Amino acid sequence: MSERGATVRIGILGAARIAPLALINPARENAEVEVAAIAARDASRAQAFANQHGIGRVHTGYEALIDDPELDAIYNPLPNGLHGKWTRAALAAGKHVLCEKPFTANAAEAREIAGRAAKSDRVVMEAFHYRYHPLCLRVEEIIASGELGKLQQVEAALCFPLAKFSDIRYNYALAGGATMDAGCYAVDMVRTFGGSTPEVVSARAKLRDPQVDRAMTAELRFEGGHSGRVRCSMWSANLLQLSAKVIGDRGELRVLNPVMPQSFHRLAVRSADGKRAERFARRPSYAFQLDAFAAAVLRGEPVKTTPESAVENMKVIDAIYRAAGLPLRQPAK
């Protein structure tokens, strides 16, 4: 904790493209957060990134950043296969962690990290930023109210084009694949809206190479009897789709762009109460997420995207890969 006791001082692992959107920009409007340091494998890149974004300290390596006594927390936006390794190291150094999704390479690694987090007094939060936006909170509220009746079907899709096949998100050695990068959102969404962790009934992949999926469709079943479906892709005929649908025996709701509602969104509800559309303020989902992280660190407030929730998400992702006949992702060497 900082000396003032009211600011979370965060260091960034890697000069990642997501960092300005997810952390640096929201932190400028959050008096409880200071982005204080950065480290990257390439020291010159780290320095250039720090100069561009007004970050005061540059460390020569990830270990040095994690060991910095002037930092309270670490933001981990490294490639998927490195999330577990450096979250583990940050916890060992007594740091709080905001870790990008997916939490780890697979469920076994997620359980290990969750166990370490549980034994510490540190906040460890998976960065599913959409979960903190009022749009998602409203969808959960509508489902819980019973307006839709008994759930029958929950679907989520996240498809976008990533034609640069050299991108690390296609790299199996770094725990890449469409289900890891895009599908982790869709899996988390059906779990959140469906109310529990579903069983994977079947899965079908479109491949970039024998180990890496460029698209995936999975059929799910929940204990309550309702079904689910996840669709995701980084390269397929379905170039762009960002949506969720929840169908009950008394109504249904559809969400356009539940992941980044600050860009555009629509929540449409049809039930016995009639038809309506609801809209929400354009404040970024990342800003709401950072609010929640700071509140958890400074005041012990609960977070929605816990390590335990991450374990459940990774269990479904692992099961999808198994059902599709693909190997599980592994931590990077």
Side-chain angles (χ1 to χ4, degrees), residues 200-220:
V200 176
V201 177
S202 64
R204 183 177 72 256
K206 295 179 180 179
L207 300 180
R208 169 58 192 162
D209 65 42
Q211 295 179 305
V212 175
D213 52 316
R214 59 181 175 85
M216 185 76 76
T217 301
E219 303 296 331
L220 314 171

Side-chain angles (χ1 to χ4, degrees), residues 22-93:
L23 177 64
I24 295 169
N25 295 340
R28 291 193 177 107
E29 300 178 2
N30 191 321
E32 294 187 327
V33 175
E34 176 190 354
V35 180
I38 184 171
R41 290 176 300 170
D42 182 336
S44 62
R45 185 180 177 204
Q47 188 63 62
F49 191 92
N51 293 343
Q52 180 181 358
H53 297 289
I55 300 172
R57 293 197 304 287
V58 175
H59 288 286
T60 56
Y62 298 155
E63 295 92 344
L65 179 107
I66 285 171
D67 290 338
D68 184 342
E70 296 299 313
L71 296 178
D72 308 304
I74 300 299
Y75 173 55
N76 183 353
L78 295 170
N80 301 338
L82 294 172
H83 285 175
K85 174 180 179 178
W86 292 105
T87 295
R88 185 185 301 115
L91 279 170

